[in-house]
Amino acid sequence: MRNEILLRMTGLAANIPVARMAVATFASSLDFTISGIEEIKVAVSEAVSNAVLHAYPQGEGEILVRAFAEGDNLVIEVEDNGQGISDIPRAKEAGFTTMPDHMGLGLCFIESFVDEVYIDSSPSKGTKVRMVKKACP
């Protein structure tokens, strides 16, 4: 049986630090350095923040955050059932945003702080961001 955590939360900004700290605490039981855990915190914050801001612009929805060890790696999944991403390559471009008062760097930060990022999204069906952070050798 694998060890994992699963958070089911309302898509509110107040829950971003809850997700960040829960996943960081889980990661601290694995073989990560302090700087590795800080990178995990940023990646989780950005992924959950994106779900809060973009998935449910008309109100609150549900966000699932899952973290588990897979070999020596930490896998983190952030999933919503919101409006989805119509153009994933465009959304990954630095500075691209659908919200004028934002910088459009969330996915860039995620990609720079974890080793692998997979995004599965369809308009009106939601988004799942899967991040893999490799443990220190």
Side-chain angles (χ1 to χ4, degrees):
M1 177 168 68
R2 78 174 178 204
N3 189 18
E4 73 176 328
I5 60 169
L6 175 63
L7 304 170
R8 182 180 309 262
M9 60 183 66
T10 305
L12 296 171
N15 287 331
I16 297 168
V18 173
R20 177 180 63 234
M21 292 309 298
V23 175
T25 301
F26 183 80
S28 71
S29 69
L30 305 172
D31 192 23
F32 287 97
T33 63
I34 300 281
S35 64
I37 291 172
E38 290 302 317
E39 292 174 345
I40 290 165
K41 286 181 183 179
V42 173
V44 170
S45 292
E46 292 296 335
V48 175
S49 178
N50 280 346
V52 168
L53 291 170
H54 301 290
Y56 307 110
Q58 303 305 317
E60 303 162 11
E62 184 174 83
I63 299 171
L64 298 177
V65 179
R66 178 180 295 113
F68 57 91
E70 191 171 80
D72 290 333
N73 302 330
L74 174 65
V75 178
I76 307 153
E77 298 173 341
V78 177
E79 186 172 1
D80 65 68
N81 293 310
Q83 67 181 16
I85 302 170
S86 60
D87 188 347
I88 294 171
R90 178 88 168 121
K92 288 178 159 186
E93 291 177 11
F96 174 77
T97 182
T98 57
M99 303 178 118
D101 57 337
H102 291 263
M103 296 187 325
L105 296 173
L107 292 177
C108 293
F109 284 157
I110 291 170
E111 288 183 324
S112 69
F113 288 126
V114 297
D115 297 294
E116 299 171 26
V117 179
Y118 306 94
I119 301 173
D120 183 19
S121 187
S122 298
S124 303
K125 295 188 178 173
T127 301
K128 182 177 186 177
V129 177
R130 184 176 201 265
M131 302 169 278
V132 179
K133 180 75 170 173
K134 296 179 181 177
C136 298

